[in-house]
């Protein structure tokens, strides 16, 4: 970070470092509370669906309605953000979400729940694109070791603290009170977002550095090998995480026969494992000479987790699978985030594309898992998910390992002759 400021006075360097630390703390605090709220809502929506006695497919429809809307709203959100004020938009949609969650537990049927969750997803898409774009723009200033902090904090809230809070609130106060508390948290987020987010998402200009345009259109982006691989593995990760996320509670209750109030721990263990990687192993993974081998090994860990979930219905085995899945997803996101932050691309466009593709993968994963679970059984779904992962691994890792190619350097992210496919 200080390397880009060799000629600035010490006071200016200190002031800039202080500003970066203050921004990071405020931004991570906002992200954590946002993740807790999302994680609570996943548990609340799942248990509301079970309260309405829905089938596997209906439960997947409720979950994927929000994800589908987020996918549809992503590209318009990027367009709106490029012409509007992020803090105004974030506050407005957060207040709209607070109102929606006040209404949700009183709806009469699962179809109405799915419809309102669709509207919720349209609002959330703008929030996600705004925050991920701001983080990608400022990551080069924050440093490589912080590459996993945004996603790690978000997952800490979504898959660990949020589900535990939701589970506790329902046990102590009931389902409807849980939704009202979630609505209050959205209102608090509206105020915090107003204080934390900038007035625009344009890249910050640094002294001595020209602002170079990056690849922006989808065709230009897909010419870069690093973008193609990042997009594919983010889609697969979202596809897998949504399937496990939707059905982890059902796995614990129906397969492992855990009490309902313990069922959230499969999701929590996976989330905590992923968070530990993202928050504490960023520098170790990204600066390692074996970075590409770690990347490929993470995808093997994900496949190992799916194999365990499909073949060994045992509490210890499922907890081990949750750890493996969390570790694999964490390393996957670390490398992908760092690759994109350093690639010569338009960060806002890539952020919107990653959100869109991730949400499409999440929607398809949840819906397909729900249908296949009804047709073939819940555990068999995870064995089926092995095939796209295996195909992607053979294409992007297997051929390289067979040729004994050296790890790709960070400098190879640019579309040079050496990096051309």
């Amino acid at each position: 970070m200080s390397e880009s400021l060799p000629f600035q006075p010490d006071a200016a360097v200190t002031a800039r470092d202080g500003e970066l630390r203050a921004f990071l703390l405020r931004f991570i605090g906002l992200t954590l509370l946002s993740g807790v709220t999302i994680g609570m809502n996943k548990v609340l929506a799942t248990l509301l669906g079970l309260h309405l006695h829905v089938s596997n497919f209906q439960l997947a429809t409720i979950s994927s309605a929000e994800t589908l809307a987020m996918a549809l709203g992503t590209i318009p959100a990027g367009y709106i953000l490029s012409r509007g004020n992020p803090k105004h938009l974030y506050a407005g949609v957060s207040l709209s979400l607070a109102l929606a969650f006040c209404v949700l537990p009183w709806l009469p049927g699962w179809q109405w729940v799915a419809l309102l969750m669709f509207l919720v997803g349209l609002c959330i898409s703008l929030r996600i694109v705004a925050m991920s774009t701001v983080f990608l723009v400022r990551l080069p200033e924050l440093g490589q070791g912080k590459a996993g902090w945004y996603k790690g904090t978000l997952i800490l809230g979504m898959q660990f603290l949020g589900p535990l809070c939701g589970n506790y609130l329902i046990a102590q106060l009931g389902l409807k009170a849980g939704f009202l508390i979630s609505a209050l948290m959205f209102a608090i987020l509206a105020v915090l977002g107003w204080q934390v987010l900038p007035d625009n998402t344009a890249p910050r200009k640094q002294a001595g550095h020209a602002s170079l345009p990056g690849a922006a259109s989808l065709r230009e982006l897909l010419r870069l090998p690093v973008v193609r691989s990042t997009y594919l593995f983010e889609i697969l990760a979202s596809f897998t995480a949504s399937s496990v996320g939707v059905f982890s509670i059902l796995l614990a209750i129906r397969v492992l026969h855990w009490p309902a109030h313990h069922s959230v721990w499969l999701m929590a263990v996976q989330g905590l494992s992923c968070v530990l990687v993202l928050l504490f192993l960023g520098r170790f993974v990204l600066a390692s000479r074996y970075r590409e081998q770690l990347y490929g090994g993470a995808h093997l860990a994900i496949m190992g987790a799916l194999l365990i979930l499909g073949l060994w219905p045992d509490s210890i085995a499922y907890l081990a699978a949750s750890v493996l899945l969390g570790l694999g997803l964490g390393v996957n996101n670390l490398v992908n985030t760092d690759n994109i932050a350093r690639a010569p691309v338009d960060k806002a466009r890539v952020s919107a594309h990653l959100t869109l593709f991730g949400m499409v993968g999440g929607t398809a994963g949840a819906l397909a898992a729900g249908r296949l679970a009804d047709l073939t059984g819940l555990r068999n779904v995870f064995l089926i998910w092995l095939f796209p992962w295996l195909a992607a691994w053979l294409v992007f890792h297997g051929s390289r390992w067979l040729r004994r190619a050296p790890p790709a350097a960070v400098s190879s992210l640019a579309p040079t002759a050496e990096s051309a496919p």
Side-chain angles (χ1 to χ4, degrees), residues 208-280:
H209 289 263
S211 180
L212 298 176
S217 71
L218 184 59
R219 179 176 297 179
E220 291 176 331
L221 290 167
L222 291 179
R223 289 183 184 141
L224 302 176
V226 69
V227 173
R228 291 200 299 269
S229 63
T230 296
Y231 281 7
L232 174 62
F233 284 117
E234 282 295 310
I235 290 172
L236 286 176
S238 179
F239 196 88
T240 304
S242 68
S243 301
V244 177
V246 169
F247 293 108
S248 60
I249 292 177
L250 292 184
L251 280 171
I253 294 174
R254 296 180 181 176
V255 177
L256 301 178
H257 306 294
W258 287 6
H261 60 282
H262 290 162
S263 61
V264 73
W265 277 102
L266 276 185
M267 181 190 298
V269 167
Q270 175 200 326
L272 186 59
S273 301
C274 187
V275 166
L276 292 175
V277 172
L278 292 171
L279 294 184
F280 300 110

Side-chain angles (χ1 to χ4, degrees), residues 88-211:
H88 293 173
L89 295 168
Y90 187 94
V93 297
S94 295
L95 291 175
S96 300
L97 289 167
L99 178 61
F101 275 82
C102 287
V103 175
L104 197 59
W106 278 270
L107 296 177
W110 73 269
Q111 298 94 333
W112 293 104
V113 173
L115 177 61
L116 188 56
M117 292 302 292
F118 182 86
L119 298 177
V120 165
L122 291 177
C123 294
I124 289 180
S125 62
L126 192 145
R127 289 158 43 104
I128 290 178
V129 173
M131 295 189 68
S132 62
T133 300
V134 169
F135 186 75
L136 281 176
V137 166
R138 302 213 63 177
L139 182 57
E141 298 176 82
L142 296 171
Q144 191 179 51
K146 306 295 190 299
W149 280 39
Y150 168 61
K151 189 65 175 286
T153 307
L154 190 64
I155 293 176
L156 177 63
M158 289 175 59
Q159 296 188 14
F160 187 73
L161 297 177
L164 293 180
C165 289
N167 196 50
Y168 177 81
L169 288 174
I170 292 171
Q172 298 297 319
L173 303 175
L175 190 61
K176 292 182 179 180
F179 276 101
L180 293 177
I181 293 174
S182 181
L184 175 62
M185 292 179 68
F186 274 121
I188 294 173
L189 282 169
V191 177
L192 293 179
W194 184 279
Q195 299 295 323
V196 174
L197 294 181
D199 292 323
N200 60 74
T201 57
R204 293 164 58 91
K205 295 182 179 179
Q206 301 179 27
H209 289 263
S211 180

